[in-house]
Amino acid sequence: MIQDQFGRRLHDLRISVTDRCNFRCPYCMPAEVFGESYKFLPKDEILTFEEIARLTGIFAGLGVSKIRVTGGEPLLRTDLHILIGMLAEIDGVEDLTLTTNGYLLTQRAQELKDAGLKRITVSLDTLDNEIFRQMNGRGFDPQRVLEGIQAAADAGLSPIKINSVVQKGVNDHTLVDLARHFKGTGHIVRFIEYMDVGNRNGWKWDQVVPAQEIVRLIDAEMPLEPAESNYPGEVASRHRYLDGQGEIGVIASVTQPFCAGCTRARISTDGQLFTCLFASRGLSLRDPLRDGADDAQMTEMISNVWSNRTDRYSEERTELAAAENAPQKVEMYQIGG
Ligand code: SAM
Ligand code: SF4
Ligand code: SF4
C-alpha cells in the first residue's frame, strides 16, 4: 500500500482506451475544435490491450482494486470486450466498471457483461430531445441512450449509474425530470457540477449549479434525506428518496471539493500517468514499457510518482485558475472522467 504526501492511498485506476468520441459535447470536445481535420492519436501511440493489462496488473500489485475503463468513448475501441476479459482476470481487481455515452451500448452490453464487466455508468445529461441534441453536439436523440441503458440492465450490469453534467441555463431546468424518470428503476442518477477540465470549454463559475441547489430542486418535488457514503472517499454524496424508491447522487467537485479523499490515478490513451484530473503533465509509462522495463522497475516508477503526489486542484481552484501564465491542463477526453 502506498501513500502520497497527504496520506492518500492509491486505490483506483481510470484508463482511457481511446481519445476518439462519436459525440461532441461542448463541455468536453467542442465540435469547433474537434472538427474533421483534428488529428487524434495514431494507432502506434495508443496503449495495446496487452500493455493496458500489464500496467493494470502492476497497479493491482500496488493495492489498486478498482478499475474504470473510459475515454473518449470507450465503446469505439475495437473488441473492447477482449480487454475487459483480460482485466477481469487480474488478481486483485475487485471492481471493474466502464463509463460510456451509451450510444453503442445496445449491441455491446451483453458481450461486455459476459467478458466480466461488473457495473456500468452511462452519461445522459437530459431527456429533453432538443437540449440533448445540443449537449451531444451531434444532434442525436436520447432514445438510443435509453435503449442502451435498458440493454445494460437486461444484461445484468446493475445497478446502473447515470451521469448528468448540469450546466446553468442549458439543462438545469430538466434535471428534476431526469431524476423522476429513473426513480424506482434501481438506477442511480448522479448529477455532476460542471467543471473547468481542460482548456477548451470556456468554463465560468456562473455556469455551475451548486450540488446543494440540485438537491433542493429535486427534494422540493420528491422528498430526499441524506444517506451514508458506501465507502470512504466516495465522490458522490448520496440522497435517498423518503418513499424508498431509490436514491440520487451529487458530485460537488467545484463547490465542495473532495481532494482530501482522492485515491485515483489515471492513465491517458497514450500511456501517461496522471495523478489529478486537472494536471498539466503526466509521466509516460508506455515508453519505459516499450523499452523493456521489468515489473519491478515499473512499480518503482509508479510508486515514486504517487508518493510525491501533492495534487489538490479543486481545493486551490480559485488561486490556480487566476494565476498568470496558468499552465495548460490535460483534456478530459485524453484521461477520461
Ligand atoms: N465518453 C464517455 C462518457 O461521456 O460517458 C466517457 C468519457 S467522459 C470524458 C466521462 C464523464 O466526464 C462523462 O460522464 C462526462 O459527462 C463527464 N464530463 C466531461 N466533461 C465534463 C465537465 N467539463 N464537467 C463535468 N463532467 C464532465
Ligand atoms: Fe465524448 Fe464523453 Fe466527452 Fe461527451 S463527455 S464528448 S461523450 S468523451
Ligand atoms: Fe483528485 Fe485532482 Fe479532483 Fe482533487 S482536483 S479530487 S486531487 S482529481
Side-chain angles (χ1 to χ4, degrees):
M1 187 178 97
I2 48 170
Q3 294 192 353
D4 71 8
Q5 293 287 306
F6 301 136
R8 297 171 295 189
R9 287 177 46 206
L10 170 58
H11 181 260
D12 324 39
L13 179 65
R14 298 189 172 190
I15 307 164
S16 173
V17 294
T18 176
D19 58 341
R20 290 164 197 262
C21 189
N22 42 0
F23 282 13
R24 287 292 178 272
C25 309
Y27 53 69
C28 178
M29 297 178 76
E32 56 281 10
V33 179
F34 298 89
E36 289 289 308
S37 56
Y38 187 84
K39 293 259 176 303
F40 289 97
L41 287 168
K43 196 164 175 220
D44 61 341
E45 290 190 22
I46 292 175
L47 290 182
T48 63
F49 286 177
E50 288 68 27
E51 288 168 336
I52 293 173
R54 188 165 158 220
L55 284 175
T56 304
I58 293 167
F59 275 89
L62 281 164
V64 166
S65 58
K66 189 170 170 186
I67 306 287
R68 179 175 296 276
V69 173
T70 175
E73 174 45 42
L75 299 189
L76 289 183
R77 182 85 188 242
T78 312
D79 292 334
L80 186 73
H81 61 287
I82 294 178
L83 174 68
I84 295 294
M86 292 162 80
L87 300 183
E89 278 180 9
I90 294 172
D91 274 348
V93 173
E94 287 161 18
D95 190 8
L96 177 57
T97 182
L98 172 89
T99 307
T100 170
N101 63 30
Y103 195 70
L104 299 172
L105 195 52
T106 308
Q107 313 89 293
R108 312 284 287 282
Q110 191 63 54
E111 68 182 15
L112 291 167
K113 169 73 181 172
D114 293 345
L117 190 69
K118 299 235 168 33
R119 299 185 297 117
I120 199 160
T121 299
V122 183
S123 301
L124 178 59
D125 295 333
T126 179
L127 291 172
D128 181 288
N129 278 327
E130 205 40 57
I131 299 170
F132 188 69
R133 285 187 200 128
Q134 185 191 322
M135 287 187 86
N136 62 55
R138 280 278 159 92
F140 295 140
D141 287 336
Q143 188 52 35
R144 185 150 159 176
V145 179
L146 289 171
E147 287 162 15
I149 292 170
Q150 188 55 49
D154 293 345
L157 287 166
S158 319
I160 298 170
K161 290 186 181 151
I162 316 282
N163 273 2
S164 170
V165 177
V166 180
Q167 275 184 294
K168 191 174 274 177
V170 180
N171 63 336
D172 51 339
H173 59 295
T174 68
L175 68 87
V176 176
D177 285 345
L178 187 68
R180 189 181 292 110
H181 181 88
F182 288 106
K183 183 168 182 269
T185 61
H187 309 334
I188 302 168
V189 185
R190 303 187 319 163
F191 296 95
I192 307 175
E193 288 179 351
Y194 176 40
M195 294 185 285
D196 51 335
V197 268
N199 316 283
R200 292 159 169 165
N201 59 16
W203 181 90
K204 296 199 184 63
W205 269 101
D206 62 10
Q207 297 168 313
V208 178
V209 181
Q212 240 183 342
E213 172 68 4
I214 296 173
V215 173
R216 194 191 61 74
L217 288 166
I218 298 170
D219 176 63
E221 300 207 18
M222 297 173 285
L224 291 164
E225 62 178 358
E228 291 288 303
S229 296
N230 286 314
Y231 50 87
E234 187 175 26
V235 295
S237 68
R238 301 171 60 211
H239 299 264
R240 200 184 290 126
Y241 291 114
L242 281 182
D243 64 4
Q245 292 294 301
E247 65 182 73
I248 60 150
V250 283
I251 304 185
S253 356
V254 179
T255 61
Q256 296 160 57
F258 35 77
C259 301
C262 181
T263 54
R264 288 173 293 283
R266 295 174 157 89
I267 299 180
S268 63
T269 317
D270 59 353
Q272 295 183 65
L273 170 61
F274 287 88
T275 55
C276 180
L277 187 51
F278 299 91
S280 303
R281 271 180 300 133
L283 173 80
S284 178
L285 298 178
R286 183 198 65 197
D287 295 348
L289 212 58
R290 290 186 183 176
D291 288 343
D294 63 21
D295 284 6
Q297 289 167 317
M298 296 303 300
T299 301
E300 195 186 336
M301 231 176 284
I302 296 164
S303 302
N304 278 341
V305 170
W306 191 267
S307 41
N308 286 312
R309 174 184 191 240
T310 56
D311 304 288
R312 46 190 286 270
Y313 177 91
S314 287
E315 292 179 348
E316 303 172 313
R317 171 172 280 110
T318 309
E319 304 96 88
L320 291 180
E324 258 180 60
N325 304 324
Q328 293 270 303
K329 293 169 282 181
V330 64
E331 295 293 332
M332 184 78 138
Y333 72 94
Q334 294 169 321
I335 53 169

